[in-house]
């Protein structure tokens, strides 16, 4: 499978003709070309420059209130500072640029360098990137800034199935080619990867996000095997963007100090993502679906899934695009997110019955964007979650309200 | 002016949504539809202890780092007791040893419990040649504090080891060796230095502390102050669960409420209970017991309705797995409490897995698999017209 994907990417690479956005480090208006891809999200942000300093700054923050209840039990009113993120970008030379993203989650409970990479353009179709990069699996991992979304919570499939936001140290290449209304792009990276926490964690299930607990991954690889991540995307300006991504690596420590401990056990992820704005009514639709396969030892508990899948779909409909309360570029949207995650695809050896451990939710929302960089949103969340055995689902529901804004 | 009105309306809407938000959240399930929840009358400090135990029991998942295994059956308590209910074939335990009461000769080979799962790099246990084994479906946890508080004297009074009343039913207690860490309650009974076991399929555990410390050790490979020996190496290790946490879990199990019967006044349920008693099912599945002394006030001197006599009964060759514990013979099983039976499906993934190993997938099948001392009752059930059988089953499902 990996050979197929790499071959596919090579074909695209030969046809690609990418270029680095040279306007990056200037205060620029919102991109209106419609040719930006999810992979551009890291640079497609509002930056501020100071005088003639070759450094641009930016960031965003998210805060919210929520009142959720699960089967009659609520934790009451909760006020949360979900995250504050700082960007620093620098133009080092004509074809060299640097960007970093540092995120503070839940106050200062988690502080992460999510992205800190140097980009070097060799030719437009061949750019090198090295440092802490965001593995391009699916779309959300790279395009996760709060102000871009109408929903307070990140998609469950992105953060509890896939490990968004997932960054690693590594190197890779990317490139793009524009042809009239079309843009084709690719990315491929080798980085440090997963570790055995994905099947030995306190969530009681196979969990790729559990690997984020391994802080050492920025310093050393758990098993010396690189994690390969590759993505290809194609977009027609008036139709849609579609991406296919693939990630593959070994998660276990198969040898130590020269001794063989186990065979190499693989984790593989395939994700597809798509987004489109329907002409005429401007309905924006974005969706992502991922399939995960983990080589869990046969002697381990079936509680830890060998296969997982899940995704989300957001539908956003602008309903009011006129000045409101003195905000000239106001836009009011109604939106809905549908989510599904199955953490354990398969059947019990003992009974042949389907293993459950799945989650679904629907999140209707209304948002007001007083300007393009700020969103104020009200969500109603309704979740159903079943345990491994498929017992009656626990229900969680309630309101969330908050804002997210670039600054 | 119009703008002010809009702002005011938005503000009022926001306030109203906050006020009404609880109404748009899922309601709590009815008390009689779930097994979880504490007994009434706990003090504030006891409620805090119950909650700590609840978290440790239902939320704590062990990993290699926190002591799991390396051989194990499950990674958490809740894996085997979803919603505090009965287990599923996925979490059914296998215990091995021999068929006589000379003591388990396979202890050095990992007995009595088979750890059939292992951390990567380890091989799970296999049943040694010559050993006999039986599968045990994890039981529901509810109401166990009441069962623990029944006095030994009451159990001995119910027992009829020589079938003195000639009804063909001869319930016996299992006399077991007592672990050194167990503090015996006032008025405990003893015979040849052994005490009464009342927990486990064959009454192999004296109280909930022994049952819990044993489960941490045998099910998850977690050592404690009480069970300090690692099941894999056989060596004594530092405790992997704190004594406080273990005691919190024991308290949680002691104070989980007794299941509440549903549709008690339904005519079919009432008639079903009558038929249940007429078929002499209640001779072993004793409807009513009474607690004696308990240091937990809400459990002391209470009448409760577990539908068990807590005694061992010979269930016949069909249920004889050839494996035993303590004085229990291989065909003897402790009468399981029937309370909560109707809610079992909600913990077993929507199906019934009944009897000691989950082999019965319906209440009727469970009844028909009864033998030995229950043969007469089974035959009485079999002879009932279908409508009566249904009423009896409806009664059992109401428990």
């Amino acid at each position: 499978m990996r050979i197929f994907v790499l071959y596919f990417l090579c074909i695209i690479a030969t046809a690609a003709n990418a270029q680095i956005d040279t306007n990056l480090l200037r205060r620029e208006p919102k991109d209106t070309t419609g040719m930006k891809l999810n992979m551009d999200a890291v640079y497609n942000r509002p930056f501020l420059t100071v005088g003639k300093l070759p450094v641009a700054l930016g960031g965003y923050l998210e805060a919210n209130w929520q009142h959720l209840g699960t089967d009659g039990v609520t934790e009451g009113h909760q006020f949360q500072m979900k995250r504050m993120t700082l960007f620093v970008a620098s133009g080092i030379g004509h074809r060299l640029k640097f960007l970093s993203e540092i995120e503070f989650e839940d106050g200062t409970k988690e502080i992460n360098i999510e992205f800190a990479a140097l980009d070097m353009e060799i030719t437009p179709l061949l750019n090198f990137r090295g440092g802490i990069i965001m593995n391009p699996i699916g779309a959300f991992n790279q395009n996760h800034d709060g102000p871009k979304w109408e929903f307070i919570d990140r998609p469950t499939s992105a953060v509890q199935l896939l490990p968004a936001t997932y960054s690693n140290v590594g190197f890779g290449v990317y490139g793009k080619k524009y042809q009239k209304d079309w843009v084709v792009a690719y990315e491929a990276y080798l980085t440090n990867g997963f570790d055995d926490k994905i099947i030995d964690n306190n969530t009681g299930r196979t969990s790729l996000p559990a690997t984020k607990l391994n802080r050492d991954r920025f310093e050393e690889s758990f098993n010396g095997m690189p994690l390969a991540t590759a993505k290809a995307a194609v977009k027609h300006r008036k139709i849609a963007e579609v991406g296919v991504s693939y990630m593959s690596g070994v998660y276990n420590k198969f040898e130590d100090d020269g001794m063989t401990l186990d065979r190499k056990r693989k984790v593989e992820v395939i994700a597809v993502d798509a987004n489109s704005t329907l002409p005429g009514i401007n309905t924006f639709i974005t969706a992502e679906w991922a399939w995960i396969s983990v080589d869990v030892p046969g002697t381990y508990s079936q509680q830890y899934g060998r296969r997982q899948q899940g995704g989300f779909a957001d539908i956003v409909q602008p309903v009011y695009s006129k000045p409101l309360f003195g905000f000239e570029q106001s836009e009011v949207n109604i939106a809905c997110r549908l989510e599904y995650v199955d953490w354990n695809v398969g059947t019990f050896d003992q009974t042949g019955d389907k293993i459950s451990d799945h989650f679904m939710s629907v999140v209707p929302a209304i948002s007001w964007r007083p300007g393009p960089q700020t969103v104020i949103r009200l969500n109603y969340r309704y979740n159903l979650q079943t345990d491994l055995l498929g017992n009656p689902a626990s229900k969680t529901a309630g309101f969330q309200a908050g804002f997210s804004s670039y600054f | 002016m119009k703008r002010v009105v809009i702002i005011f309306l938005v503000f009022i809407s926001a306030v109203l949504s906050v006020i009404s938000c609880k109404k748009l959240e899922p309601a709590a399930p009815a008390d009689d539809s779930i097994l979880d929840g504490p007994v009434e009358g706990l003090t504030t400090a006891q409620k805090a202890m119950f909650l700590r135990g609840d978290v440790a029991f239902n939320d704590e998942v062990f990993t290699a780092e926190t002591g799991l295994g390396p051989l194990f059956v499950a990674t958490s308590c809740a894996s085997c007791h979803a919603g505090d209910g009965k287990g599923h074939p996925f979490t059914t335990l296998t215990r091995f040893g021999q068929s006589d009461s000379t003591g388990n000769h396979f202890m050095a080979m990992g007995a009595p419990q088979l750890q059939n799962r292992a951390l990567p790099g380890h091989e799970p246990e296999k049943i040694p040649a010559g050993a006999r084994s039986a599968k045990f479906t994890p039981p529901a946890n509810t109401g166990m504090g009441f069962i623990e508080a029944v006095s030994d004297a009451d159990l001995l009074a119910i027992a009829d080891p020589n079938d003195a009343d000639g009804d063909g039913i001869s319930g016996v207690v299992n006399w077991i060796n007592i672990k050194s860490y167990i503090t015996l309650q006032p008025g405990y009974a003893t015979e040849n230095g052994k005490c009464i076991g009342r927990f486990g399929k064959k009454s192999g555990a004296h109280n909930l502390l022994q049952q819990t410390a044993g489960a941490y050790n045998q099910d998850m490979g977690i050592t404690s102050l009480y069970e300090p020996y690692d099941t894999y190496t056989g060596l004594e290790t530092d405790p992997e669960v704190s004594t406080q946490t273990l005691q919190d879990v024991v308290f949680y199990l002691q104070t989980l409420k007794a299941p509440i019967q549903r549709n008690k006044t339904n005519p079919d349920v009432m008639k079903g209970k009558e038929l249940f008693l007429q078929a002499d099912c209640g001779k072993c599945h004793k409807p009513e017991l009474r607690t004696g002394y308990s240091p937990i006030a809400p459990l002391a001197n209470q009448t409760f309705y577990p539908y068990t006599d807590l005694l061992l009964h010979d269930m016949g060759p069909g249920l004889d797995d050839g494996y035993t514990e303590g004085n229990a013979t291989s065909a003897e099983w402790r009468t399981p409490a029937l309370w909560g039976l109707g809610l079992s499906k909600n913990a077993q993934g929507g199906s019934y897995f009944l009897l000691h190993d989950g082999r019965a997938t319906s209440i009727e099948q469970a009844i028909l698999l009864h033998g030995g001392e229950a043969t007469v009752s089974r035959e009485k059930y079999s002879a009932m017209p279908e409508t009566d059988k249904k009423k009896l089953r409806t009664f059992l499902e109401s428990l």
Side-chain angles (χ1 to χ4, degrees):
Chain A
M1 186 61 187
R2 183 163 54 174
I3 290 169
F4 170 76
V5 172
L6 289 173
Y7 177 72
F8 178 64
L9 290 172
C10 288
I11 300 244
I12 290 173
T14 55
N17 180 19
Q19 63 176 33
I20 293 174
D21 181 5
T22 53
N23 290 328
L24 172 70
L25 300 179
R26 284 184 279 149
R27 187 190 293 274
E28 62 174 330
K30 187 180 174 185
D31 171 59
T32 54
T33 63
M35 298 301 270
K36 294 286 185 188
L37 299 166
N38 279 309
M39 67 176 281
D40 298 312
V42 68
Y43 283 115
N44 189 23
R45 293 160 158 165
F47 285 92
L48 298 170
T49 56
V50 182
K52 292 186 177 179
L53 280 174
V55 173
L57 301 174
Y60 70 89
L61 80 161
E62 291 186 89
N64 67 280
W65 156 88
Q66 68 179 30
H67 193 291
L68 300 175
T70 299
D71 296 331
V73 178
T74 177
E75 292 190 348
H77 300 279
Q78 301 288 327
F79 296 88
Q80 303 172 314
M81 178 71 181
K82 281 249 164 70
R83 57 188 61 83
M84 186 186 79
T85 297
L86 299 172
F87 318 134
V88 179
S90 169
I92 299 167
H94 178 54
R95 291 183 297 164
L96 280 171
K97 59 184 178 181
F98 169 81
L99 187 139
S100 67
E101 177 181 345
I102 297 170
E103 184 170 271
F104 300 79
E105 285 199 334
D106 301 322
T108 53
K109 197 170 157 188
E110 277 189 46
I111 303 172
N112 300 308
I113 300 175
E114 295 215 317
F115 187 89
L118 182 71
D119 285 14
M120 184 194 313
E121 179 192 347
I122 303 299
T123 71
L125 60 81
L126 182 63
N127 298 264
F128 285 104
R129 173 174 288 171
I132 295 176
I133 60 112
M134 285 183 286
N135 299 70
I137 188 71
F140 187 87
N141 198 44
Q142 290 180 304
N143 193 9
H144 59 257
D145 290 359
K148 293 181 177 175
W149 301 84
E150 316 305 308
F151 304 92
I152 286 165
D153 286 336
R154 291 177 165 182
T156 305
S157 62
V159 295
Q160 292 186 40
L161 179 72
L162 296 173
T165 44
Y166 186 46
S167 304
N168 273 303
V169 184
F171 300 89
V173 292
Y174 65 90
K176 281 195 283 188
K177 176 179 173 59
Y178 296 92
Q179 184 77 45
K180 294 185 180 174
D181 285 338
W182 290 89
V183 55
V184 181
Y186 76 95
E187 294 176 90
Y189 302 98
L190 293 176
T191 64
N192 285 342
F194 293 103
D195 60 276
D196 58 9
K197 285 240 176 323
I198 66 175
I199 62 160
D200 183 28
N201 58 67
N202 60 12
T203 65
R205 61 165 67 104
T206 298
S207 170
L208 268 54
T211 202
K212 291 166 70 178
L213 298 172
N214 177 17
R215 298 280 172 173
D216 292 342
R217 73 184 195 276
F218 296 112
E219 183 193 357
E220 61 174 339
S221 168
F222 182 69
N223 52 25
M225 293 295 291
L227 174 70
T229 315
K231 181 168 184 180
V234 59
K235 181 174 185 176
H236 185 283
R237 191 167 65 88
K238 294 176 182 168
I239 304 174
E241 174 185 349
V242 177
V244 179
S245 43
Y246 176 71
M247 184 156 72
S248 175
V250 172
Y251 71 87
N252 66 323
K253 198 178 272 291
F254 53 90
E255 63 181 21
D256 199 7
D257 205 18
M259 287 187 292
T260 300
L261 304 176
D262 195 2
R263 65 179 168 81
K264 293 174 185 169
R265 297 190 180 277
K266 281 180 78 171
V267 53
E268 291 179 288
V269 184
I270 297 174
V272 293
D273 60 84
N275 65 78
S276 178
T277 301
L278 301 182
I281 56 173
N282 285 331
T283 305
F284 177 68
I285 300 171
T286 185
E288 178 178 301
W289 193 269
W291 296 266
I292 296 172
S293 167
V294 180
D295 178 9
V296 180
T299 56
Y300 210 52
S301 171
Q302 271 196 289
Q303 189 175 338
Y304 296 83
R306 276 72 176 161
R307 288 184 295 133
Q308 302 179 314
Q309 63 174 336
F312 71 95
D314 287 1
I315 304 160
V316 182
Q317 177 63 55
V319 292
Y320 183 92
S321 300
K322 291 178 187 170
L324 185 64
F325 306 138
F327 293 96
E328 295 300 318
Q329 296 183 66
S330 272
E331 185 175 275
V332 176
N333 299 305
I334 55 172
C336 188
R337 168 174 289 167
L338 304 172
E339 301 181 89
Y340 178 80
V341 177
D342 186 345
W343 282 282
N344 203 330
V345 179
T347 55
F348 285 112
D349 293 341
Q350 295 80 2
T351 61
D353 293 338
K354 188 181 179 311
I355 300 174
S356 292
D357 200 8
H358 52 236
F359 167 94
M360 59 186 87
S361 82
V362 56
V363 189
I366 183 164
S367 68
W368 172 40
R369 291 182 177 275
Q373 296 175 17
T374 302
V375 59
I376 296 165
R377 49 207 178 185
L378 174 66
N379 295 177
Y380 176 75
R381 167 169 284 282
Y382 190 89
N383 301 344
L384 290 174
Q385 183 148 12
T386 55
D387 65 8
L388 195 72
L389 304 176
N391 291 316
S394 73
K395 303 180 188 75
T396 298
F399 281 103
Q400 299 171 295
F403 73 91
S404 184
S405 180
Y406 287 111
F407 54 82
Chain B
M1 185 61 190
K2 190 178 166 188
R3 184 184 303 171
V4 173
V5 171
I6 291 171
I7 293 171
F8 180 73
L9 288 175
V10 168
F11 179 74
I12 291 295
S13 303
V15 171
L16 284 176
S17 67
V18 168
I19 292 169
S20 63
C21 57
K22 274 221 71 160
K23 292 179 183 165
L24 290 165
E25 292 171 12
D31 256 4
D32 62 8
S33 70
I34 53 169
L35 296 171
D36 194 9
V39 294
E40 286 183 11
L42 296 180
T43 64
T44 303
Q46 287 173 329
K47 284 177 185 168
M49 194 169 186
F50 177 90
L51 289 171
R52 289 198 304 270
D54 190 353
V55 169
F57 189 91
N58 289 301
D59 297 343
E60 183 165 14
V61 178
F62 287 96
T63 65
E65 202 174 329
T66 55
L68 178 69
L71 309 184
F72 61 95
V73 178
T75 57
S76 67
C77 305
S79 299
C80 295
H81 305 277
D84 293 305
K86 284 180 190 292
H88 180 272
F90 162 66
T91 53
T92 290
L93 311 168
T94 301
R95 291 171 79 87
F96 63 93
Q98 70 294 312
S99 56
D100 56 38
S101 58
T102 57
N104 198 321
H105 303 161
F106 297 89
M107 294 300 280
M109 286 176 261
Q113 191 150 299
L114 184 77
Q115 275 103 29
N116 61 341
R117 297 181 174 112
L119 290 173
H122 296 270
E123 282 301 314
E125 282 183 329
K126 291 187 168 49
I127 298 174
R132 302 300 302 266
S133 66
K135 290 189 182 300
F136 289 9
T137 301
N141 302 326
T142 51
M144 292 203 297
F146 291 95
I147 288 173
E148 190 179 50
V150 176
S151 71
D152 286 358
D154 278 5
L155 293 186
L156 291 170
I158 302 167
D160 183 15
N162 302 314
D163 192 16
D165 59 5
D167 63 356
I169 297 170
S170 53
V172 294
V173 296
N174 191 8
W175 295 103
I176 58 169
N177 291 314
I178 285 293
K179 298 268 186 179
S180 58
Y181 57 79
I182 290 175
T183 305
L184 295 163
Q185 295 297 323
Y188 70 89
T190 180
E191 185 178 278
N192 300 325
K194 294 180 176 180
C195 292
I196 293 175
R198 67 180 71 194
F199 292 102
K201 305 287 181 188
K202 287 183 177 287
S203 292
H206 177 73
N207 64 8
L208 287 170
L209 176 60
Q210 183 187 353
Q211 184 72 17
T212 305
Y216 267 94
N217 191 235
Q218 297 279 321
D219 297 356
M220 298 182 284
I222 300 296
T223 57
S224 61
L225 178 71
Y226 306 111
E227 297 286 351
Y229 293 98
D230 181 70
T231 53
Y232 180 62
T233 62
L235 300 174
E236 189 170 347
T237 67
D238 292 335
E240 292 162 333
V241 60
S242 75
T243 303
Q244 181 64 60
T245 298
L246 206 142
Q247 287 173 349
D248 290 343
V249 170
V250 170
F251 187 82
Y252 168 73
L253 296 171
Q254 286 172 325
T255 53
L256 273 170
K257 71 171 195 251
I260 301 165
Q261 188 181 1
R262 297 159 308 289
N263 307 317
K264 218 171 172 176
T265 55
N266 178 301
D268 284 358
V269 170
M270 292 168 73
K271 179 65 181 170
K273 182 174 181 180
E274 209 178 299
L275 293 164
F276 176 84
L277 296 173
Q278 280 170 13
D280 290 336
C281 305
K283 288 198 168 179
C284 299
H285 291 288
K286 207 170 166 47
E288 184 179 307
L289 289 175
R290 188 163 174 79
T291 61
Y293 165 82
S294 172
I296 303 164
L299 300 178
N301 304 308
Q302 299 289 317
T303 301
F304 65 106
Y305 307 93
Y307 292 87
T308 174
D309 58 4
L310 299 176
L311 300 175
L312 297 171
H313 294 275
D314 186 326
M315 296 305 293
L319 294 176
D320 183 345
D321 289 347
Y323 163 77
T324 192
E325 289 175 1
N327 287 342
T329 68
S330 56
E332 281 181 333
W333 299 96
R334 195 204 69 169
T335 311
L338 295 180
W339 59 5
L341 178 62
L343 300 177
S344 297
K345 284 197 290 192
N346 291 347
Q348 296 186 307
S351 304
Y352 279 121
F353 298 100
L354 305 175
L355 294 181
H356 65 273
D357 56 1
R359 71 179 71 178
T361 53
S362 68
I363 290 176
E364 177 157 87
Q365 198 180 359
I367 295 169
L368 296 177
L369 284 169
H370 279 55
E373 295 175 34
T375 304
V376 173
S377 293
R378 183 195 67 204
E379 286 171 356
K380 284 182 178 174
Y381 173 81
S382 296
M384 286 179 193
E386 191 50 48
T387 49
D388 283 358
K389 285 181 182 173
K390 196 174 171 200
K391 284 173 184 166
L392 195 152
R393 294 197 303 268
T394 302
F395 160 67
L396 291 173
E397 289 196 84
S398 77
L399 294 177

